[in-house]
Amino acid sequence: MSYRHGGYRRRYRDDYDDRRREVIETPEDRLKTTIIKFGEVDALEELPGLDKQIRNHQPLNIPNVSEAFRISVTEQPYKIPFYAALLRSLYNASDLAEGETEAPVLGRLILEDFWKGFQGYLDKVAWRETRLCIQFFAHLTNAGLISPESMTALLQSFVAVLDEFGVSHGRAKKAALSAGEGLIIAGPVLKVHSPSSVNEMIAAIHTYSESTINAKWLVALNSKVSNEVSIPEGADEVLDSLLNALNTLNEGDFSGTADCIPQPYLKGEGAQTDLPIYDLPSVLVPPEIIEVEGITSEAGSDAQIKKEEWPEYYFRVFTTDVSPDPNTPAGYVIRSTLIDTIDIFEINRKECARLLLEYPKWNLPGTFKPKPGSTVEHEPIPDKDWQLDSTVLETILGVYLVLPESSQKSISYISLMTELCKLSPSTVGPAVGKSIRKLYSALSESLDVEVSRRFAEWFAIHMSNFGFQWVWKEWVPDLSLAVQHPKRAFIRRVVEFEIRLAYHERIFKTLPAQMQDPEAFVIPDQSPSPAFDYEDPLHPHHEAAQSVLNLFRGRANAEDVIAHLDTLKNQLEGADEGHANLDSLVRSIAVQSLLNIGSRSISHLLNGIERYLALLRNLASGGISSSGGYGNNEAKADILTASASFWRHNRQMVGIVFDKLMQYQIVDPTDVVNWTFLNGSVVGQLKEIEKPLNLSAFEWDLLKGALDKANGRVVIARRKIATLRKEDDDARARAKASQGMEVDGETKPDEQDNVENPALETALKASESLVREQKAALSRTLEGFISCLAPSTGDANPSPGSRNMIGEEAWNNRDAWGRDEWNAWETWGWYRQFVRAYAPYLRIYTNTLETVSFSKFEGVNDPAADLLKKLWHIATGQE
Amino acid sequence: MAHVVTPLDQPSNYKDSQARVDRSRQADLLSKSTTLYIGNLSFYTTEEQIYEVFSKCANPEDGGGIKRVIMGLDRNSRTPCGFCFVEYYTHAEALASMKYVSGTKLDERIIRCDLDLGYKEGRQFGRGKSGGQVRDEHRQDYDPGRGGWGAQAQKHEIERRREVEERYADAQDGPGAVAGGGGDWKDQGPSQSENKLKRGRSPEDEGENTRLRTRTEEDLDDNRM
């Protein structure tokens, strides 16, 4: 924005100077850019020119060129075959000018330097870069530039990872993909060289994949509530897809590779035998880098949190004539390349969408249908000729819906899909519609609750970006299903999310009359406004509440309000109204009145809380007038109850208020967990859904909010400790250095090391107490699920249907399920999500939690208890 | 990656004319910023709607979350005038919003995010001559979401307007007008008798206030859209 001229120039001097400072691009930078942009119009036509440009560049800086290759290979995976062709071309002898002697082969020099970069990625255990470089080497093996022995050895060192003792699934998976994808590409050469090595590698991946059946069951997208471990039919786990593709290729001795991956380097020349063949040096895959310096937790283990420990299932939307089956070689290659593209270009969704829709030009011609209206001559390959937009959308949805969580934030995939729709509305739009219908129909086929929640999230944001246009009419017949049936729960959830993004009337008018009917329990007839319990002048405590409200309105100071509440309590006592718990009543009046003052907006809420922090802490600490104490569980539960009641028509606000009550340390995450298991279902506008406990997506969000808060605090505390330690070390090092200079080497390190930094001490203490809170929150959640799903007599909140719906037989009878069974079904789903999503945290405390929560089931014959334990054992890696 | 395309999480060229920092200092602050400026909002969009969208970029498990939302108000009428600040606890969350939310719709308008130096007292008010944002001074088009309002407007929109007009009638000026949102966890210790009833402000605010004083007189540039 440079609209400042004339008189403004002096004033905005620094801006002006700034603009003038242009980045100077050296000829080397230009060459690098040209290599990176290779193929933007037509790779094969550009190749001779680029080859010449590289050769003629004077002076030629090999590391610069090989860096350009490394960037290109690791950041543009769809172009890898063409970079292999470029490198192959650089192996050709130069036209020698007179008097020149034969120089070393240029391509070979680049490859040798490229290898150093690969070694760097490997040392850092940068998996994606490593894997993509392996793909590049595999192509070079086909091109005859790399020896098959050394390529086989390279792949074998990755397969060897699968046999490491206690290898994590994340590491094994990435190693297997690296080796397997290399094999898909280099198979034609490697199979000829050594059929047995190829077979052995495939067998090793197979053996590994077989060993993960329990983990697969835990994260498959539609596993049943059952004690039997069985993988749903037609599910696509990524390693299984890889194996299916590999087996197909292997059966045909990899003749199929040429049908699924371009091999432009094989064109023309034919097999040239005098190429200097490169032997890849042998490697060892180094162990994973421990990112955060873990501090010793109470269990004595290093409590660093690592994610991505599970098999990956991808949701499949279309049939094989629309999008390729990922279990075929061509389908696997396409999906894997698209996924890499999605991951790499996460930084710019607009460019990412464009590149995804340009993908066909990097695959074999005839793989995808041309754009509608395209005049380019098109010869479809039989059994291919897929629809690009549908394939791309399905792939994005696939990575988005992976369990227990996607590798990037939900919103990143959602925004990317939005961008695709904007780029090509006429073709992506219908694909979106079909995907929504497919997912919706999967809801009644045991689609995982977390997948369903993410589906709802996508749906609402998508609609918010495209005018809330959905053909709701077609789902009207489903209103006859049980009120807690996953389809109806989904409709309700989506409508609620849409209202949050817009406003009640806007969404109300998009729905057909049948859904507007309050009896349909789709949308409330009112906008989600606050519900001040003491609003009604006839309410017995209306006057009392008004007096408190007036103090808040007049911005009385907190002490005065506290004093007034004491008086109020005495008055109420005297009034002999027989209220069971006067403390609770007074807390409710105080909290609701404060929320009423803060009900206009979040800012008003925060202002209210901050102004009356002392009051809230006083309320939380128990007796209205009592002093001291860390907070009283009953009092904190009362505060949460009053808040939830005030916002009972607006679940979003309940979540926000709870979050801020935790943030301001009025309540702890454990209080929220406790409260949710006991009271969660009182919140919501649609009354039919109330009690008994339904642990639905809303309650899950409250639990998740509390657990994430507890975990996040530990992260902050540890970060702080790490910073302080580093500062300490630096200070010590400096002191040492200066001392060293003075005393000439005679230092006494022991004395200095013992001086503890008081800030560090405080931080360590804080961390200890936060770790305790973390453990308590996790433990309470586990307890809550157990008392809900495998209730003993007298447990506070049993889910009445929890035992009736375990197993295949119960599932087959689901048409007869009522509200309780579907409630229980959903609660089981959230338990499953709890143990797998929080597994990295739960594993820190496995033994303690297990003793506390599961020992009571010792020797008990209860299918619900068995299932709880089974899921727990799998998630914590014991089964 | 960054070699092939430009990331979307780069701050714009905007320079707050009232912030007394030079370009390099500004770049340094933005590289750690946890605050976003959000533009092109409808005047009727609420903080809760904003919270809903921006919470999609929050990382609570990493110690993050939305700290606060500060609605931009017309200086005179104390009604929303189409911009706001969203403050997170972590820088990564602000970057995520730049990548995933900027350029998408909220309340059926395409909103724009920009990394911001951080909220300063007074910045919640528009800097245009008539109280709103500068861009609305010169705007020629009819924009129903930003005050370009006709009699034929639909009923619920009028209703929304009424709510909006009342909502911030109590908006304050001066220090402490805007809540902090809650700071990091602190050990509260056993003694709870807190007598300081002065409003707690986040430590960052205090630090920044001394570092970068803002000018009090009117300036004429807030031409960020």
Side-chain angles (χ1 to χ4, degrees), chain A residues 740-768:
Chain A
M741 259 182 279
E742 283 158 20
V743 208
D744 211 19
E746 278 181 57
T747 48
K748 295 175 192 165
D750 297 1
E751 271 171 45
Q752 289 175 12
D753 278 354
N754 291 337
V755 185
E756 265 291 3
N757 176 350
L760 184 58
E761 221 165 292
T762 316
L764 284 167
K765 257 179 75 186
S767 170
E768 251 173 64

PDB file of all heavy atoms in Angstrom, chain A residues 740-768:
ATOM      1  N   GLY A 740      37.597 -17.726  34.608  1.00  0.00           N
ATOM      2  CA  GLY A 740      38.710 -18.411  33.943  1.00  0.00           C
ATOM      3  C   GLY A 740      39.762 -17.425  33.482  1.00  0.00           C
ATOM      4  O   GLY A 740      40.960 -17.662  33.593  1.00  0.00           O
ATOM      5  N   MET A 741      39.274 -16.306  32.956  1.00  0.00           N
ATOM      6  CA  MET A 741      40.217 -15.337  32.440  1.00  0.00           C
ATOM      7  C   MET A 741      41.039 -14.712  33.566  1.00  0.00           C
ATOM      8  O   MET A 741      42.219 -14.491  33.449  1.00  0.00           O
ATOM      9  CB  MET A 741      39.472 -14.240  31.689  1.00  0.00           C
ATOM     10  CG  MET A 741      39.548 -14.442  30.196  1.00  0.00           C
ATOM     11  SD  MET A 741      38.720 -13.117  29.345  1.00  0.00           S
ATOM     12  CE  MET A 741      37.037 -13.614  29.452  1.00  0.00           C
ATOM     13  N   GLU A 742      40.350 -14.472  34.675  1.00  0.00           N
ATOM     14  CA  GLU A 742      41.048 -13.810  35.775  1.00  0.00           C
ATOM     15  C   GLU A 742      42.028 -14.734  36.492  1.00  0.00           C
ATOM     16  O   GLU A 742      43.194 -14.424  36.703  1.00  0.00           O
ATOM     17  CB  GLU A 742      40.030 -13.268  36.791  1.00  0.00           C
ATOM     18  CG  GLU A 742      39.354 -12.001  36.322  1.00  0.00           C
ATOM     19  CD  GLU A 742      38.041 -11.793  37.021  1.00  0.00           C
ATOM     20  OE1 GLU A 742      37.821 -12.369  38.097  1.00  0.00           O
ATOM     21  OE2 GLU A 742      37.201 -11.043  36.471  1.00  0.00           O
ATOM     22  N   VAL A 743      41.488 -15.892  36.848  1.00  0.00           N
ATOM     23  CA  VAL A 743      42.301 -16.769  37.678  1.00  0.00           C
ATOM     24  C   VAL A 743      43.109 -17.753  36.834  1.00  0.00           C
ATOM     25  O   VAL A 743      43.803 -18.614  37.359  1.00  0.00           O
ATOM     26  CB  VAL A 743      41.425 -17.545  38.692  1.00  0.00           C
ATOM     27  CG1 VAL A 743      42.235 -17.890  39.930  1.00  0.00           C
ATOM     28  CG2 VAL A 743      40.203 -16.746  39.072  1.00  0.00           C
ATOM     29  N   ASP A 744      42.917 -17.600  35.529  1.00  0.00           N
ATOM     30  CA  ASP A 744      43.664 -18.430  34.612  1.00  0.00           C
ATOM     31  C   ASP A 744      43.400 -19.923  34.815  1.00  0.00           C
ATOM     32  O   ASP A 744      44.294 -20.705  35.099  1.00  0.00           O
ATOM     33  CB  ASP A 744      45.158 -18.117  34.754  1.00  0.00           C
ATOM     34  CG  ASP A 744      45.855 -18.335  33.420  1.00  0.00           C
ATOM     35  OD1 ASP A 744      45.138 -18.359  32.398  1.00  0.00           O
ATOM     36  OD2 ASP A 744      47.074 -18.484  33.409  1.00  0.00           O
ATOM     37  N   GLY A 745      42.138 -20.267  34.693  1.00  0.00           N
ATOM     38  CA  GLY A 745      41.819 -21.696  34.652  1.00  0.00           C
ATOM     39  C   GLY A 745      41.531 -22.334  36.009  1.00  0.00           C
ATOM     40  O   GLY A 745      41.012 -23.425  36.073  1.00  0.00           O
ATOM     41  N   GLU A 746      41.814 -21.653  37.074  1.00  0.00           N
ATOM     42  CA  GLU A 746      41.566 -22.287  38.368  1.00  0.00           C
ATOM     43  C   GLU A 746      40.150 -22.000  38.842  1.00  0.00           C
ATOM     44  O   GLU A 746      39.888 -21.047  39.557  1.00  0.00           O
ATOM     45  CB  GLU A 746      42.557 -21.783  39.407  1.00  0.00           C
ATOM     46  CG  GLU A 746      43.891 -22.499  39.321  1.00  0.00           C
ATOM     47  CD  GLU A 746      44.834 -21.991  40.380  1.00  0.00           C
ATOM     48  OE1 GLU A 746      44.470 -22.067  41.570  1.00  0.00           O
ATOM     49  OE2 GLU A 746      45.902 -21.493  40.000  1.00  0.00           O
ATOM     50  N   THR A 747      39.216 -22.790  38.429  1.00  0.00           N
ATOM     51  CA  THR A 747      37.832 -22.555  38.824  1.00  0.00           C
ATOM     52  C   THR A 747      37.379 -23.611  39.797  1.00  0.00           C
ATOM     53  O   THR A 747      37.920 -24.717  39.839  1.00  0.00           O
ATOM     54  CB  THR A 747      36.886 -22.584  37.616  1.00  0.00           C
ATOM     55  OG1 THR A 747      37.210 -23.754  36.854  1.00  0.00           O
ATOM     56  CG2 THR A 747      37.040 -21.351  36.767  1.00  0.00           C
ATOM     57  N   LYS A 748      36.399 -23.289  40.539  1.00  0.00           N
ATOM     58  CA  LYS A 748      35.816 -24.286  41.431  1.00  0.00           C
ATOM     59  C   LYS A 748      34.351 -24.470  41.045  1.00  0.00           C
ATOM     60  O   LYS A 748      33.474 -23.826  41.610  1.00  0.00           O
ATOM     61  CB  LYS A 748      35.910 -23.813  42.888  1.00  0.00           C
ATOM     62  CG  LYS A 748      37.335 -23.696  43.367  1.00  0.00           C
ATOM     63  CD  LYS A 748      37.336 -23.120  44.756  1.00  0.00           C
ATOM     64  CE  LYS A 748      38.734 -22.711  45.163  1.00  0.00           C
ATOM     65  NZ  LYS A 748      38.691 -21.843  46.356  1.00  0.00           N
ATOM     66  N   PRO A 749      34.118 -25.290  40.064  1.00  0.00           N
ATOM     67  CA  PRO A 749      32.756 -25.418  39.539  1.00  0.00           C
ATOM     68  C   PRO A 749      31.767 -25.896  40.586  1.00  0.00           C
ATOM     69  O   PRO A 749      30.612 -25.520  40.572  1.00  0.00           O
ATOM     70  CB  PRO A 749      32.900 -26.431  38.408  1.00  0.00           C
ATOM     71  CG  PRO A 749      34.182 -27.145  38.663  1.00  0.00           C
ATOM     72  CD  PRO A 749      35.061 -26.216  39.433  1.00  0.00           C
ATOM     73  N   ASP A 750      32.213 -26.706  41.500  1.00  0.00           N
ATOM     74  CA  ASP A 750      31.281 -27.317  42.449  1.00  0.00           C
ATOM     75  C   ASP A 750      30.505 -26.271  43.239  1.00  0.00           C
ATOM     76  O   ASP A 750      29.298 -26.366  43.401  1.00  0.00           O
ATOM     77  CB  ASP A 750      32.048 -28.219  43.435  1.00  0.00           C
ATOM     78  CG  ASP A 750      32.710 -29.370  42.724  1.00  0.00           C
ATOM     79  OD1 ASP A 750      32.562 -29.428  41.470  1.00  0.00           O
ATOM     80  OD2 ASP A 750      33.347 -30.179  43.377  1.00  0.00           O
ATOM     81  N   GLU A 751      31.224 -25.274  43.696  1.00  0.00           N
ATOM     82  CA  GLU A 751      30.568 -24.274  44.519  1.00  0.00           C
ATOM     83  C   GLU A 751      29.434 -23.588  43.765  1.00  0.00           C
ATOM     84  O   GLU A 751      28.358 -23.383  44.284  1.00  0.00           O
ATOM     85  CB  GLU A 751      31.572 -23.219  44.971  1.00  0.00           C
ATOM     86  CG  GLU A 751      32.241 -23.586  46.281  1.00  0.00           C
ATOM     87  CD  GLU A 751      33.369 -22.642  46.591  1.00  0.00           C
ATOM     88  OE1 GLU A 751      33.182 -21.426  46.446  1.00  0.00           O
ATOM     89  OE2 GLU A 751      34.448 -23.146  46.964  1.00  0.00           O
ATOM     90  N   GLN A 752      29.744 -23.238  42.496  1.00  0.00           N
ATOM     91  CA  GLN A 752      28.757 -22.484  41.722  1.00  0.00           C
ATOM     92  C   GLN A 752      27.516 -23.314  41.405  1.00  0.00           C
ATOM     93  O   GLN A 752      26.409 -22.827  41.442  1.00  0.00           O
ATOM     94  CB  GLN A 752      29.366 -22.012  40.418  1.00  0.00           C
ATOM     95  CG  GLN A 752      30.369 -20.926  40.644  1.00  0.00           C
ATOM     96  CD  GLN A 752      31.051 -20.553  39.365  1.00  0.00           C
ATOM     97  OE1 GLN A 752      30.614 -20.952  38.293  1.00  0.00           O
ATOM     98  NE2 GLN A 752      32.103 -19.788  39.483  1.00  0.00           N
ATOM     99  N   ASP A 753      27.741 -24.562  41.070  1.00  0.00           N
ATOM    100  CA  ASP A 753      26.625 -25.396  40.637  1.00  0.00           C
ATOM    101  C   ASP A 753      25.561 -25.547  41.707  1.00  0.00           C
ATOM    102  O   ASP A 753      24.400 -25.759  41.408  1.00  0.00           O
ATOM    103  CB  ASP A 753      27.134 -26.778  40.232  1.00  0.00           C
ATOM    104  CG  ASP A 753      27.669 -26.735  38.820  1.00  0.00           C
ATOM    105  OD1 ASP A 753      27.505 -25.677  38.192  1.00  0.00           O
ATOM    106  OD2 ASP A 753      28.248 -27.734  38.370  1.00  0.00           O
ATOM    107  N   ASN A 754      25.961 -25.440  42.926  1.00  0.00           N
ATOM    108  CA  ASN A 754      24.986 -25.688  43.974  1.00  0.00           C
ATOM    109  C   ASN A 754      24.066 -24.511  44.251  1.00  0.00           C
ATOM    110  O   ASN A 754      23.080 -24.653  44.958  1.00  0.00           O
ATOM    111  CB  ASN A 754      25.703 -26.094  45.264  1.00  0.00           C
ATOM    112  CG  ASN A 754      26.332 -27.459  45.091  1.00  0.00           C
ATOM    113  OD1 ASN A 754      25.890 -28.234  44.238  1.00  0.00           O
ATOM    114  ND2 ASN A 754      27.356 -27.764  45.868  1.00  0.00           N
ATOM    115  N   VAL A 755      24.413 -23.363  43.717  1.00  0.00           N
ATOM    116  CA  VAL A 755      23.557 -22.203  43.954  1.00  0.00           C
ATOM    117  C   VAL A 755      22.299 -22.348  43.112  1.00  0.00           C
ATOM    118  O   VAL A 755      22.352 -22.280  41.896  1.00  0.00           O
ATOM    119  CB  VAL A 755      24.284 -20.900  43.589  1.00  0.00           C
ATOM    120  CG1 VAL A 755      23.422 -19.704  43.951  1.00  0.00           C
ATOM    121  CG2 VAL A 755      25.622 -20.835  44.300  1.00  0.00           C
ATOM    122  N   GLU A 756      21.182 -22.579  43.748  1.00  0.00           N
ATOM    123  CA  GLU A 756      19.936 -22.719  43.007  1.00  0.00           C
ATOM    124  C   GLU A 756      19.312 -21.354  42.781  1.00  0.00           C
ATOM    125  O   GLU A 756      19.314 -20.497  43.653  1.00  0.00           O
ATOM    126  CB  GLU A 756      18.959 -23.638  43.754  1.00  0.00           C
ATOM    127  CG  GLU A 756      19.018 -25.082  43.303  1.00  0.00           C
ATOM    128  CD  GLU A 756      18.488 -25.325  41.898  1.00  0.00           C
ATOM    129  OE1 GLU A 756      18.113 -24.351  41.210  1.00  0.00           O
ATOM    130  OE2 GLU A 756      18.445 -26.496  41.481  1.00  0.00           O
ATOM    131  N   ASN A 757      18.797 -21.204  41.618  1.00  0.00           N
ATOM    132  CA  ASN A 757      18.102 -19.984  41.264  1.00  0.00           C
ATOM    133  C   ASN A 757      16.719 -19.999  41.922  1.00  0.00           C
ATOM    134  O   ASN A 757      15.959 -20.948  41.725  1.00  0.00           O
ATOM    135  CB  ASN A 757      18.013 -19.979  39.732  1.00  0.00           C
ATOM    136  CG  ASN A 757      17.232 -18.820  39.207  1.00  0.00           C
ATOM    137  OD1 ASN A 757      16.589 -18.101  39.972  1.00  0.00           O
ATOM    138  ND2 ASN A 757      17.284 -18.647  37.906  1.00  0.00           N
ATOM    139  N   PRO A 758      16.379 -18.996  42.714  1.00  0.00           N
ATOM    140  CA  PRO A 758      15.070 -19.036  43.408  1.00  0.00           C
ATOM    141  C   PRO A 758      13.901 -19.067  42.425  1.00  0.00           C
ATOM    142  O   PRO A 758      12.884 -19.714  42.687  1.00  0.00           O
ATOM    143  CB  PRO A 758      15.065 -17.751  44.242  1.00  0.00           C
ATOM    144  CG  PRO A 758      16.208 -16.931  43.767  1.00  0.00           C
ATOM    145  CD  PRO A 758      17.178 -17.834  43.081  1.00  0.00           C
ATOM    146  N   ALA A 759      14.052 -18.396  41.282  1.00  0.00           N
ATOM    147  CA  ALA A 759      12.965 -18.417  40.304  1.00  0.00           C
ATOM    148  C   ALA A 759      12.744 -19.833  39.798  1.00  0.00           C
ATOM    149  O   ALA A 759      11.614 -20.284  39.595  1.00  0.00           O
ATOM    150  CB  ALA A 759      13.296 -17.492  39.135  1.00  0.00           C
ATOM    151  N   LEU A 760      13.856 -20.543  39.640  1.00  0.00           N
ATOM    152  CA  LEU A 760      13.755 -21.927  39.167  1.00  0.00           C
ATOM    153  C   LEU A 760      13.068 -22.788  40.220  1.00  0.00           C
ATOM    154  O   LEU A 760      12.236 -23.634  39.905  1.00  0.00           O
ATOM    155  CB  LEU A 760      15.159 -22.456  38.858  1.00  0.00           C
ATOM    156  CG  LEU A 760      15.246 -23.858  38.261  1.00  0.00           C
ATOM    157  CD1 LEU A 760      14.466 -23.955  36.966  1.00  0.00           C
ATOM    158  CD2 LEU A 760      16.701 -24.250  38.028  1.00  0.00           C
ATOM    159  N   GLU A 761      13.406 -22.542  41.434  1.00  0.00           N
ATOM    160  CA  GLU A 761      12.795 -23.313  42.509  1.00  0.00           C
ATOM    161  C   GLU A 761      11.276 -23.124  42.528  1.00  0.00           C
ATOM    162  O   GLU A 761      10.519 -24.075  42.630  1.00  0.00           O
ATOM    163  CB  GLU A 761      13.376 -22.852  43.850  1.00  0.00           C
ATOM    164  CG  GLU A 761      13.651 -23.992  44.805  1.00  0.00           C
ATOM    165  CD  GLU A 761      14.553 -23.523  45.933  1.00  0.00           C
ATOM    166  OE1 GLU A 761      15.744 -23.216  45.665  1.00  0.00           O
ATOM    167  OE2 GLU A 761      14.047 -23.427  47.059  1.00  0.00           O
ATOM    168  N   THR A 762      10.865 -21.871  42.410  1.00  0.00           N
ATOM    169  CA  THR A 762       9.432 -21.574  42.366  1.00  0.00           C
ATOM    170  C   THR A 762       8.787 -22.276  41.184  1.00  0.00           C
ATOM    171  O   THR A 762       7.716 -22.874  41.294  1.00  0.00           O
ATOM    172  CB  THR A 762       9.209 -20.059  42.205  1.00  0.00           C
ATOM    173  OG1 THR A 762      10.104 -19.383  43.075  1.00  0.00           O
ATOM    174  CG2 THR A 762       7.779 -19.675  42.505  1.00  0.00           C
ATOM    175  N   ALA A 763       9.461 -22.210  40.049  1.00  0.00           N
ATOM    176  CA  ALA A 763       8.900 -22.818  38.833  1.00  0.00           C
ATOM    177  C   ALA A 763       8.760 -24.320  39.003  1.00  0.00           C
ATOM    178  O   ALA A 763       7.774 -24.921  38.572  1.00  0.00           O
ATOM    179  CB  ALA A 763       9.773 -22.479  37.639  1.00  0.00           C
ATOM    180  N   LEU A 764       9.752 -24.933  39.648  1.00  0.00           N
ATOM    181  CA  LEU A 764       9.678 -26.379  39.855  1.00  0.00           C
ATOM    182  C   LEU A 764       8.520 -26.732  40.774  1.00  0.00           C
ATOM    183  O   LEU A 764       7.801 -27.709  40.540  1.00  0.00           O
ATOM    184  CB  LEU A 764      10.994 -26.890  40.443  1.00  0.00           C
ATOM    185  CG  LEU A 764      12.152 -27.005  39.438  1.00  0.00           C
ATOM    186  CD1 LEU A 764      13.473 -27.216  40.171  1.00  0.00           C
ATOM    187  CD2 LEU A 764      11.905 -28.129  38.444  1.00  0.00           C
ATOM    188  N   LYS A 765       8.324 -25.918  41.779  1.00  0.00           N
ATOM    189  CA  LYS A 765       7.218 -26.171  42.698  1.00  0.00           C
ATOM    190  C   LYS A 765       5.872 -26.027  41.991  1.00  0.00           C
ATOM    191  O   LYS A 765       4.972 -26.842  42.156  1.00  0.00           O
ATOM    192  CB  LYS A 765       7.278 -25.197  43.885  1.00  0.00           C
ATOM    193  CG  LYS A 765       7.825 -25.858  45.143  1.00  0.00           C
ATOM    194  CD  LYS A 765       7.912 -24.900  46.303  1.00  0.00           C
ATOM    195  CE  LYS A 765       6.567 -24.585  46.946  1.00  0.00           C
ATOM    196  NZ  LYS A 765       6.698 -23.529  47.977  1.00  0.00           N
ATOM    197  N   ALA A 766       5.765 -24.970  41.184  1.00  0.00           N
ATOM    198  CA  ALA A 766       4.530 -24.743  40.429  1.00  0.00           C
ATOM    199  C   ALA A 766       4.263 -25.929  39.525  1.00  0.00           C
ATOM    200  O   ALA A 766       3.139 -26.435  39.445  1.00  0.00           O
ATOM    201  CB  ALA A 766       4.650 -23.466  39.611  1.00  0.00           C
ATOM    202  N   SER A 767       5.315 -26.382  38.852  1.00  0.00           N
ATOM    203  CA  SER A 767       5.154 -27.500  37.942  1.00  0.00           C
ATOM    204  C   SER A 767       4.657 -28.736  38.683  1.00  0.00           C
ATOM    205  O   SER A 767       3.771 -29.435  38.219  1.00  0.00           O
ATOM    206  CB  SER A 767       6.485 -27.779  37.246  1.00  0.00           C
ATOM    207  OG  SER A 767       6.412 -28.980  36.552  1.00  0.00           O
ATOM    208  N   GLU A 768       5.228 -28.973  39.843  1.00  0.00           N
ATOM    209  CA  GLU A 768       4.793 -30.124  40.627  1.00  0.00           C
ATOM    210  C   GLU A 768       3.297 -30.068  40.896  1.00  0.00           C
ATOM    211  O   GLU A 768       2.588 -31.055  40.741  1.00  0.00           O
ATOM    212  CB  GLU A 768       5.506 -30.116  41.978  1.00  0.00           C
ATOM    213  CG  GLU A 768       6.544 -31.187  42.156  1.00  0.00           C
ATOM    214  CD  GLU A 768       7.286 -30.963  43.456  1.00  0.00           C
ATOM    215  OE1 GLU A 768       6.643 -31.041  44.524  1.00  0.00           O
ATOM    216  OE2 GLU A 768       8.504 -30.680  43.398  1.00  0.00           O
TER     217      GLU A 768
END
